[in-house]
């Protein structure tokens, strides 16, 4: 696999998100809360759910619409905001 700027940025953003969530939990521990899914989730759980859902949104977009993923990125950001707010 050849590293491209987009690939390096993707993995860098994921790494930064994981570090930020770790520091957030270390300095300001969060209590689990029950959202619309009916299960207790922490911010780390919600990050995982939003990343997993965003992957499916982008794969579905690629399969149905094709390569320009800007709209899929916007949908993923809206989805992540909704997950962090209501899940």
């Amino acid at each position: 696999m050849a590293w491209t700027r987009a690939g390096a940025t993707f993995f860098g953003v994921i790494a930064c998100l994981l570090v930020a969530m770790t520091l957030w939990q270390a300095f300001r521990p969060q209590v689990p809360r029950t959202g619309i899914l009916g299960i207790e989730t922490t911010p780390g759980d919600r990050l995982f759910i939003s990343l997993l859902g965003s992957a499916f949104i982008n794969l579905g977009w690629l399969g149905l619409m094709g390569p320009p993923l800007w709209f899929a990125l916007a949908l993923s950001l809206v989805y992540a905001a909704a997950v962090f707010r209501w899940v």
Side-chain angles (χ1 to χ4, degrees):
M1 175 178 145
W3 282 96
T4 62
R5 188 178 311 232
T9 302
F10 174 78
F11 286 108
V13 167
I14 298 295
C16 288
L17 283 171
L18 291 174
V19 168
M21 293 300 285
T22 301
L23 292 174
W24 184 21
Q25 187 66 24
F27 290 114
R28 231 179 113 207
Q30 304 287 319
V31 295
R33 66 177 186 176
T34 304
I36 198 168
L37 292 178
I39 59 173
E40 286 188 349
T41 59
T42 63
D45 297 332
R46 291 187 291 274
L47 175 66
F48 178 75
I49 292 168
S50 65
L51 289 174
L52 191 62
S54 296
F56 284 117
I57 289 170
N58 281 283
L59 285 172
W61 185 271
L62 273 175
L64 296 173
M65 301 294 189
L69 291 173
W70 294 110
F71 192 71
L73 174 65
L75 283 175
S76 296
L77 291 174
V78 169
Y79 171 74
V83 165
F84 270 88
R85 175 69 176 110
W86 291 300
V87 171

